[in-house]
Amino acid sequence: MKRNLEKLKVYANEFMNNGNSDFDPDKLYTYAVAVRNGEIEEDRKNVDYILRSILYFFCRGENFADVIEKYPLTLPYLSDVASGIGTQVLYDFACYYRDELGNDEKFFEVVDLGEHTYPKGLSGGMGLVNQLIYNDLCRLELARCYKDGVGVEKDYPIALRHYLRYRTDHLCQKWAEDELTEEELADLYAKMKSESDAEVNYPGLHFALAVMSAEGFGTPYDVSAYRKYYEKEMENYENGANDDSEYRELMEDYDSNVSASFSQVKEPNEKDIKAGDVVRFGKYNHRDVIWHVLRVEEDRALLLSVDCLESNYIVHAKCGDFSTDENYEDSAVRQFTSDLDRALFPTEEDTENFADLMIPDEQNDCVFLLSKEEIEKCGLPEAVPLAGAREQAMINGYDGCGVDVDEGTGASPWWTSTDGDKEGRLVFVNGIGEFEEAPMQMEGIGIRPAVWLKLKK
């Protein structure tokens, strides 16, 4: 036996010094076990290197069963190799624990690692996209774990914070399918509301209820509910000046930025809708879309969304072909906007209830952009041309490839459907409510759609 251990030591040292081409994980693991058992003296860092190498090798091949069953001493090194093996492998490893072994604790542990793992060294192209997509999937699974108590103690406010961060990167918006469902958001809200109704109160509970109410996220947009839950959250801190709960600061920060200022928001099938009203109609990015009623004509009303729903970057990403961007009618901007009716109604119930309420415009688009002439004709109140940007609904913080925000007004620029003086240019409304024009490829300008709504008689 001693002679075999000496041979193993020679082999292991050759591997550590030269990186043997005849990689034999069984030999290396036997050597590492012998060192751990005190049969051979070896520096701890060398054993760490061996075990990391074995784990890296099998994880890259997604041979998770081999790692768990044959090389269990390697598993504590998963965080060491995480950035090297990538978030897709970590996600698949987590799913193996859950789906094949029924180990929820390990599932949670590995998706948590995946959510916090970023590319090692320089990474770009589709490699970076893939990393970000699986970061995002891990984030969604963490939200579900905290909501349902899978592998971790239930924590509804933490669950919400993970849900809010899901799909916040433009590359995920561009390339990945949306795995979040309206049902799970409604379930989260219902669970927290049930606690609140039962007079349960702990830091974060009413912060989460307030934010969901202000966003129309899992529950209808409701400013009065937001204010009620905001006050309940802040009551936690009235008698504790030194309270160290992070939710106090989060609630204060959110309240200072929230644009939930409409005390009365009507449903689209109400009978008394008139110019100047605000209507809740459809969803985008899982949040209620709120609309100004610009004017009413007989049995229809013209609505303009309060916010820019998306940035020009996503227009470019979704449409791709800009060879026809000579005018609005044939442009990618119009193509993207006219397809928004599908995005506004994410559930079958929404489609059945509301999709038939939209009236196509002259171009036969149910969702469209206003023209400069239409905007001027409406004689909009001073604040209406300023496109909002709800704090949590911001995609990627409106930085980089997102929609610009005017520092003075906090408003975002948005396209109209009016062609500019030169080919390939469109008129837009800037952050202070004035008309300008720019090439259709210009980043930082948002999509602020309009619809004709059929009124109930």
Side-chain angles (χ1 to χ4, degrees):
M1 174 63 75
K2 185 175 180 180
R3 184 179 303 166
N4 289 340
L5 291 179
E6 289 300 324
K7 286 184 178 180
L8 281 177
K9 186 176 182 70
V10 171
Y11 172 81
N13 277 277
E14 286 180 356
F15 171 78
M16 290 183 286
N17 295 326
N18 305 312
N20 303 48
S21 57
D22 60 333
F23 176 69
D24 189 328
D26 289 332
K27 286 183 180 180
L28 291 170
Y29 192 75
T30 301
Y31 179 73
V33 171
V35 173
R36 288 286 184 90
N37 291 339
E39 300 172 61
I40 305 176
E41 289 189 7
E42 184 62 80
D43 285 348
R44 173 63 184 265
K45 65 179 182 180
N46 291 336
V47 178
D48 292 343
Y49 174 75
I50 288 172
L51 294 173
R52 281 197 301 267
S53 299
I54 295 171
L55 180 62
Y56 181 84
F57 175 80
F58 282 99
C59 283
R60 292 286 288 182
E62 298 205 13
N63 297 316
F64 307 129
D66 283 342
V67 172
I68 294 169
E69 296 169 11
K70 296 174 63 176
Y71 311 106
L73 290 180
T74 67
L75 293 172
Y77 296 88
L78 190 59
S79 61
D80 294 345
V81 303
S83 62
I85 64 176
T87 50
Q88 179 175 354
V89 173
L90 289 171
Y91 179 79
D92 291 343
F93 200 173
C95 291
Y96 179 84
Y97 271 121
R98 180 190 62 189
D99 301 336
E100 301 299 325
L101 302 181
N103 191 328
D104 290 341
E105 289 76 15
K106 280 294 184 181
F107 172 75
F108 170 81
E109 180 183 317
V110 180
V111 291
D112 186 49
L113 177 61
E115 198 265 350
H116 294 95
T117 296
Y118 300 98
K120 184 177 183 180
L122 296 175
S123 178
M126 288 308 298
L128 174 60
V129 172
N130 196 59
Q131 288 273 342
L132 293 171
I133 287 173
Y134 280 94
N135 278 132
D136 216 39
L137 286 173
C138 287
R139 185 172 297 124
L140 178 58
E141 292 297 350
L142 282 176
R144 291 166 172 168
C145 285
Y146 281 111
K147 179 175 78 73
D148 299 324
V150 176
V152 68
E153 186 176 349
K154 289 181 182 179
D155 190 321
Y156 298 140
I158 290 292
L160 173 65
R161 291 169 67 180
H162 280 93
Y163 278 125
L164 290 172
R165 292 181 59 222
Y166 173 67
R167 287 173 66 81
T168 54
D169 192 283
H170 269 87
L171 291 174
C172 294
Q173 293 273 6
K174 177 179 179 180
W175 293 105
E177 293 294 325
D178 185 3
E179 303 288 343
L180 178 57
T181 68
E182 293 298 314
E183 290 76 14
E184 62 189 286
L185 291 175
D187 182 53
L188 174 64
Y189 182 85
K191 284 177 163 62
M192 293 190 296
K193 185 176 185 300
S194 177
E195 288 193 331
S196 178
D197 290 347
E199 302 299 327
V200 175
N201 188 16
Y202 53 85
L205 173 63
H206 293 102
F207 161 81
L209 286 166
V211 170
M212 294 185 81
S213 298
E215 296 293 332
F217 194 64
T219 185
Y221 175 99
D222 187 335
V223 176
S224 61
Y226 168 77
R227 285 296 163 197
K228 178 180 76 172
Y229 292 130
Y230 167 82
E231 290 169 5
K232 279 183 171 291
E233 183 65 34
M234 298 312 290
E235 284 174 6
N236 290 320
Y237 316 112
E238 286 181 358
N239 299 319
N242 297 320
D243 184 273
D244 61 356
S245 170
E246 63 182 325
Y247 287 107
R248 178 176 191 166
E249 183 176 353
L250 286 171
M251 190 75 267
E252 290 173 340
D253 287 347
Y254 187 85
D255 192 60
S256 67
N257 289 289
V258 70
S259 62
S261 56
F262 305 112
S263 58
Q264 291 188 336
V265 177
K266 293 186 175 181
E267 297 296 321
N269 51 7
E270 292 187 27
K271 293 183 178 180
D272 62 342
I273 290 175
K274 61 185 182 300
D277 285 343
V278 179
V279 173
R280 180 181 75 91
F281 185 50
K283 283 185 176 289
Y284 192 77
N285 196 24
H286 299 284
R287 290 144 172 97
D288 276 353
V289 182
I290 309 302
W291 310 76
H292 294 289
V293 179
L294 300 186
R295 74 170 192 269
V296 173
E297 295 181 356
E298 298 179 352
D299 63 345
R300 65 178 188 169
L302 180 61
L303 274 55
L304 175 66
S305 69
V306 171
D307 298 333
C308 288
L309 296 193
E310 199 50 270
S311 74
N312 217 28
Y313 174 84
I314 295 298
V315 173
H316 297 172
K318 298 291 186 183
C319 300
D321 181 13
F322 312 113
S323 60
T324 59
D325 275 0
E326 298 176 357
N327 55 61
Y328 171 73
E329 184 175 354
D330 301 316
S331 68
V333 170
R334 181 194 169 200
Q335 179 186 334
F336 177 86
T337 306
S338 63
D339 284 341
L340 278 176
D341 57 328
R342 301 179 213 173
L344 289 173
F345 304 103
T347 69
E348 185 175 335
E349 181 182 0
D350 282 337
T351 302
E352 291 176 355
N353 289 340
F354 300 127
D356 63 345
L357 293 179
M358 288 191 292
I359 303 171
D361 70 351
E362 294 80 2
Q363 306 274 359
N364 204 36
D365 294 339
C366 286
V367 184
F368 50 91
L369 299 183
L370 294 180
S371 68
K372 177 183 177 182
E373 291 71 26
E374 185 69 67
I375 295 167
E376 292 174 329
K377 177 181 176 181
C378 286
L380 304 181
E382 186 176 344
V384 173
L386 302 182
R390 283 178 292 172
E391 180 73 1
Q392 294 295 341
M394 291 182 180
I395 304 302
N396 205 20
Y398 283 109
D399 292 332
C401 291
V403 179
D404 294 332
V405 174
D406 184 273
E407 292 184 1
T409 63
S412 302
W414 48 285
W415 291 117
T416 75
S417 62
T418 299
D419 293 324
D421 292 334
K422 295 182 180 179
E423 185 178 281
R425 295 170 71 89
L426 279 183
V427 174
F428 70 94
V429 180
N430 64 22
I432 59 174
E434 298 175 341
F435 292 111
E436 293 186 54
E437 64 177 69
M440 294 184 203
Q441 302 304 309
M442 178 72 74
E443 301 286 4
I445 301 177
I447 301 297
R448 189 184 187 188
V451 298
W452 280 108
L453 180 70
K454 187 184 300 182
L455 298 177
K456 291 284 186 179
K457 294 183 179 179

